[in-house]
Amino acid sequence: MKSLLIREKYRSLVNDIDFDQLELELKKPNIFQILNISRAEIRHSSFLAWILDPNGTHSFGPVFLKKFLRDISASEVITDLDEIDIEDLNYNNVEIRREWKNIDLLILFDTHVICIENKVYSQDHSNQLERYRNIINSGFKSRKKAFVYLTPQGEPPTTESETAHYALYSYEQIVEQAERIMAIHGSSLNHGVHQYLYDYISILKRELMKNDDLNELASKLYKNHKEVIDFIFENKSDISSELQPIFSSRIASSGWVLGSKNKGYARFSTQPLAELIPNKGRGWPNKECFLFEFDYLWSK
């Protein structure tokens, strides 16, 4: 793409009011992005443990947990959780366990146990769902049980035999519940709790479900400015391009001769070799026949 054309298309992009709006919204602080935990499965489970805990510091009591249990009781998968029992459960004596025997979330009542396997960016593997069922069945024989498979869109387990045992739940339903709490209890929540819920809803919509207003805005911008955005993306800075000037500087300061440049490779020769070997090669831009190189193209 010619320089003048690039500048023209770039100017069109940055002058688009949608670009200003997108930039403004992306600059708003979000605690999950600040801490770089929006894609960490274990952090999602920790936050869910907090809002599911009826005695948690969020101050909305068992509201979230009750709605969650009602949804599970209405699942197509038959569990020991009866909708009529939900109101009679002892919410003053609930224990929420995290990573107990590698189980993501465990909700323990006097009479019931709910086992939750949380999959955000991965899938079940190594018969883990069956193993967790066996652990719960043997460890809590006298309690009624429900097994839940939580994913962004409510996808079934990859282990087909476990689909008869695990009720499906989605992050879409998590968002729906959280928005309901914000709408009904928003004015009574303290500022910190209100902000955490707002940030969590935003990050789920944007990164997991891809149905946030910003996702739609980004899609619109891409359609209208596809050529220049593709060009920028193809030439964006990354670790390889950032390392290039560092390697080149050290090679030059060591008295060696810099060779043909390429992203992800720092090539060089010595002065005696450069004088001895003619540049009659075919592969590199400067036609060298022999070079030493540092290869960091695939380095993380």
Side-chain angles (χ1 to χ4, degrees), residues 24-25 47-48 61 63 66 74 122 132 139-140 147 156 162 164 191 205 217 221 238 245 248 264 275 283 293:
L24 179 65
E25 291 297 322
F47 191 80
L48 289 174
V63 173
K66 281 186 177 181
S122 61
Y132 297 159
F140 303 93
F147 299 93
E162 292 304 310
H191 175 73
K205 284 185 170 183
L217 194 59
L221 276 169
D238 56 21
S248 296
E275 293 174 0
E293 73 177 23

Side-chain angles (χ1 to χ4, degrees), residues 97-300:
R97 293 185 185 178
R98 284 282 296 106
E99 295 298 325
W100 181 77
K101 295 187 183 296
N102 294 321
I103 296 171
D104 289 327
L105 281 164
L106 204 61
I107 306 173
L108 296 171
F109 290 93
D110 299 331
T111 54
H112 291 71
V113 56
I114 293 87
C115 170
I116 305 171
E117 178 59 18
N118 181 22
K119 295 297 183 187
V120 180
Y121 293 102
S122 61
Q123 296 178 319
D124 55 286
H125 55 85
S126 308
N127 295 320
Q128 62 179 156
L129 299 183
E130 182 182 2
R131 283 189 282 110
Y132 297 159
R133 277 197 305 110
N134 291 337
I135 290 171
I136 299 302
N137 286 330
S138 63
F140 303 93
K141 293 180 180 179
S142 63
R143 302 192 201 191
K144 294 181 178 180
K145 303 165 187 68
F147 299 93
V148 181
Y149 192 67
L150 172 62
T151 62
Q153 308 295 337
E155 299 93 338
T158 56
T159 308
E160 191 173 347
S161 60
E162 292 304 310
T163 57
H165 303 287
Y166 279 80
L168 305 183
Y169 207 74
S170 73
Y171 272 93
E172 289 180 326
Q173 291 169 282
I174 297 290
V175 167
E176 182 184 337
Q177 282 195 54
E179 287 182 330
R180 182 185 178 92
I181 288 173
M182 293 274 282
I184 298 173
H185 303 276
S187 60
S188 63
L189 299 175
N190 83 35
H191 175 73
V193 173
H194 191 281
Q195 189 64 49
Y196 293 153
L197 282 175
Y198 178 84
D199 285 354
Y200 194 57
I201 290 169
S202 297
I203 212 68
L204 289 182
K205 284 185 170 183
R206 190 178 307 167
E207 296 199 10
L208 259 69
M209 296 154 56
K210 304 293 184 183
N211 64 359
D212 186 50
D213 290 342
L214 291 193
N215 297 100
E216 296 179 12
L217 194 59
S219 178
K220 180 181 175 183
L221 276 169
Y222 183 72
K223 289 178 182 177
N224 293 336
H225 305 278
K226 181 179 184 299
E227 193 171 4
V228 69
I229 291 174
D230 283 345
F231 182 82
I232 292 170
F233 184 80
E234 288 167 4
N235 293 277
K236 71 181 187 300
S237 176
D238 56 21
I239 188 65
S240 294
S241 56
E242 289 172 9
L243 284 172
Q244 175 73 33
I246 298 172
F247 274 103
S248 296
S249 175
R250 291 301 296 271
I251 289 169
S253 66
S254 298
W256 297 328
V257 180
L258 280 167
S260 294
K261 290 185 178 181
N262 195 305
K263 177 183 175 181
Y265 301 91
R267 299 188 174 105
F268 65 97
S269 183
T270 64
Q271 191 65 45
L273 283 175
E275 293 174 0
L276 180 64
I277 304 174
N279 290 356
K280 294 184 179 181
R282 295 183 179 181
W284 291 311
N286 294 340
K287 308 300 183 183
E288 298 99 337
C289 294
F290 175 85
L291 290 171
F292 300 100
E293 73 177 23
F294 293 108
D295 173 4
Y296 49 87
L297 180 62
W298 306 110
S299 173
K300 293 184 180 180

Side-chain angles (χ1 to χ4, degrees), residues 43-108:
R43 305 305 178 206
H44 281 281
S45 294
S46 295
F47 191 80
L48 289 174
W50 178 63
I51 59 178
L52 283 167
D53 187 352
N55 303 307
T57 55
H58 45 65
S59 77
F60 47 76
V63 173
F64 196 98
L65 178 56
K66 281 186 177 181
K67 182 64 169 62
F68 174 78
L69 295 176
R70 290 192 193 105
D71 287 345
I72 299 306
S73 69
S75 168
E76 294 180 0
V77 174
I78 299 175
T79 68
D80 292 340
L81 192 61
D82 189 285
E83 190 170 5
I84 297 174
D85 294 337
I86 292 172
E87 292 300 324
D88 297 329
L89 293 172
N90 183 3
Y91 291 94
N92 294 318
N93 188 31
V94 180
E95 181 184 357
I96 311 287
R97 293 185 185 178
R98 284 282 296 106
E99 295 298 325
W100 181 77
K101 295 187 183 296
N102 294 321
I103 296 171
D104 289 327
L105 281 164
L106 204 61
I107 306 173
L108 296 171

